[in-house]
Amino acid sequence: MKLICEKSQCTGCAACANRCPKHCISMVETSVLGHLYPQIDQKSCIDCGACQKVCPALHPVEMHRPATAYAGWDKNNEEYVTSTSGGAASAFSRWMISQGGVVYGCSMSGMEARHIRVDNVIDLYKLKGSKYVQSTIGDCYRQALSDLHQGRKVLFIGTPCQVAALKSLVSRKDEQLLYTVDLICHGVPSLAQLKRHINKITKGKIPDEIYFRKGSYLLLLLLLNGKEIYRSELFKQRYKDSYYNAFFDGFSYRESCYHCRYANSDRCSDITIGDFWGLRGELPLAHPDGCSVLLPLTDKGNELLSGISDGFHLFERSVEEAVQGNDQLRHPKRKNWRIKLYRFLYPAFGDGWTFRLCVPDKILRMHLRKLIKGK
């Protein structure tokens, strides 16, 4: 097998690597920005075509449109304030564990973002928090398939392309035990780019904790042994941190993100969750640390919603309101001239200078506004 799918279509989902019967596909850095793509060991490949058969880029999974939407957040204040976007993913995870199931989700350990398996409530904290970087899948799909084969319920939480990847691997028999939650994804920078950026700004200090959010507050915060070694607050210090701003402005996503088939109101999971931006009317209760949008899509999605209803504030809203508040429920990020320039200049200048060269007018306007306000 020479090529699984066109590189511009590849989401890096790793379905092919998990399906290959000879284990001859590796996910390696083969792009300027450090994103992972499948590499086939031609000596071991038996040209069976199994990788192509499960590739979601070649064989799209079934999509569903939500009939209703909910706004909500966790009633447990400790869970609420230590989660992001209202804590829906954490609530679903606790419910699944209570049902004797297992949970797969992204964990940020030091500078490694990877999907892991959790089978107890104590370790669910490892899955908390937003991660504005593409996670490494490893052999998580294989582990999930093993759990399903053994008759165990599985909850998988990830980006839509990761959900599609797992669904493409699961048999119809095992599918009834699989529950999927997709996150409203804006696009994914690479882990390699994040690591390069952190090594540069910390002068080699390796943080053991990385935060991209605190409730609804957007920032990049690095801790080492409990002490803060770097902080950049997006809206207080706009354009300071090049990695965070490149993510926020859509400069550093993988190529497939700019024509993502999942960036619309038709979704591929059992339930879609994210931030409920653009709430048009006040809710009866305050939610200072974020509010989830929940879009159930299937019977299992409604089952998940029912499972958390006693411990979660839920308010029914219109799908239109949810869609209007989230660009990624309407269309993928469009590649404008700034994004094209960033990707052209990045190999020569790295993320710092490249980002500044792409937004000099915006930076100038920001400083002028500060000067005017100062007067």
Side-chain angles (χ1 to χ4, degrees):
M1 184 67 62
K2 298 295 183 183
L3 183 68
I4 300 170
C5 71
E6 293 296 329
K7 191 172 183 179
S8 63
Q9 300 294 320
C10 177
T11 63
C13 70
C16 54
N18 276 259
R19 178 63 184 87
C20 179
K22 303 300 288 184
H23 305 284
C24 66
I25 300 176
S26 304
M27 302 301 294
V28 300
E29 242 182 83
T30 57
S31 77
V32 168
L33 297 179
H35 291 102
L36 302 181
Y37 289 86
Q39 185 175 83
I40 305 170
D41 179 357
Q42 297 298 332
K43 293 181 180 178
S44 302
C45 178
I46 57 174
D47 208 27
C48 64
C51 53
Q52 287 189 326
K53 291 175 183 176
V54 298
C55 176
L58 299 177
H59 307 284
V61 298
E62 185 179 3
M63 307 285 273
H64 305 275
R65 181 161 294 186
T68 189
Y70 293 87
W73 60 95
D74 206 309
K75 290 181 180 179
N76 183 314
N77 192 60
E78 183 178 352
E79 290 289 341
Y80 176 49
V81 299
T82 56
S83 301
T84 54
S85 307
S90 182
F92 290 143
S93 299
R94 296 196 307 274
W95 179 80
M96 180 55 67
I97 296 295
S98 76
Q99 301 300 301
V102 296
V103 181
Y104 288 84
C106 180
S107 172
M108 196 84 202
S109 178
M111 290 203 292
E112 296 296 329
R114 59 190 179 89
H115 261 66
I116 63 171
R117 178 184 186 273
V118 178
D119 61 4
N120 62 85
V121 173
I122 294 174
D123 288 333
L124 283 178
Y125 77 92
K126 296 177 182 178
L127 306 182
K128 284 192 173 185
S130 299
K131 297 93 180 177
Y132 295 154
V133 65
Q134 187 166 32
S135 66
T136 301
I137 286 294
D139 64 351
C140 263
Y141 301 147
R142 289 197 190 106
Q143 292 180 55
L145 292 176
S146 176
D147 283 321
L148 292 169
H149 290 335
Q150 293 173 41
R152 201 163 185 182
K153 287 183 177 179
V154 168
L155 174 66
F156 182 88
I157 305 169
T159 60
C161 54
Q162 291 171 335
V163 168
L166 179 55
K167 291 181 75 172
S168 73
L169 293 162
V170 175
S171 68
R172 288 189 178 274
K173 178 184 176 182
D174 290 336
E175 190 177 13
Q176 61 186 339
L177 295 174
L178 175 64
Y179 295 71
T180 56
V181 178
D182 82 271
L183 309 169
I184 299 174
C185 174
H186 293 266
V188 287
S190 74
L191 186 58
Q193 185 175 3
L194 176 63
K195 288 180 177 180
R196 287 195 291 266
H197 178 67
I198 289 176
N199 282 327
K200 180 180 177 181
I201 61 177
T202 64
K203 296 180 172 57
K205 291 181 182 178
I206 301 176
D208 48 32
E209 294 180 77
I210 300 175
Y211 296 94
F212 297 96
R213 290 274 297 269
K214 283 291 185 180
S216 58
Y217 199 58
L218 303 174
L219 81 167
L220 180 60
L221 175 64
L222 310 178
L223 303 179
L224 179 59
N225 298 323
K227 295 182 179 180
E228 183 179 306
I229 59 174
Y230 179 81
R231 174 190 288 260
S232 177
E233 303 173 14
L234 182 64
F235 294 119
K236 282 188 177 180
Q237 300 164 298
R238 186 70 162 113
Y239 304 120
K240 175 191 172 185
D241 187 87
S242 56
Y243 177 88
Y244 208 111
N245 281 277
F247 163 77
F248 188 77
D249 291 342
F251 289 12
S252 53
Y253 303 160
R254 67 182 300 131
E255 190 62 35
S256 60
C257 296
Y258 300 108
H259 43 85
C260 175
R261 69 179 53 183
Y262 310 108
N264 58 72
S265 56
D266 289 343
R267 314 298 294 176
C268 64
S269 69
D270 293 309
I271 190 166
T272 293
I273 62 173
D275 289 285
F276 206 133
W277 302 121
L279 276 167
R280 295 175 185 170
E282 290 187 9
L283 296 177
L285 297 171
H287 48 92
D289 290 295
C291 180
S292 296
V293 61
L294 305 97
L295 299 164
L297 301 149
T298 66
D299 289 341
K300 282 189 286 187
N302 285 315
E303 184 183 347
L304 286 169
L305 205 60
S306 177
I308 69 168
S309 58
D310 288 342
F312 214 79
H313 296 293
L314 286 170
F315 303 92
E316 190 167 359
R317 314 293 289 193
S318 71
V319 173
E320 179 195 9
E321 182 183 23
V323 170
Q324 287 304 310
N326 266 289
D327 287 348
Q328 296 297 311
L329 292 177
R330 300 195 303 277
H331 55 75
K333 180 70 177 180
R334 296 186 174 97
K335 191 189 283 188
N336 57 32
W337 69 266
R338 296 180 194 271
I339 293 173
K340 293 175 182 177
L341 182 61
Y342 180 88
R343 301 168 86 81
F344 177 75
L345 295 176
Y346 184 88
F349 298 103
D351 66 348
W353 274 108
T354 298
F355 182 78
R356 295 183 189 93
L357 289 169
C358 293
V359 292
D361 54 324
K362 294 186 176 184
I363 294 173
L364 179 60
R365 282 199 299 269
M366 177 188 70
H367 288 303
L368 287 174
R369 283 195 297 269
K370 287 182 178 179
L371 285 171
I372 293 169
K373 285 182 180 179
K375 294 178 181 179

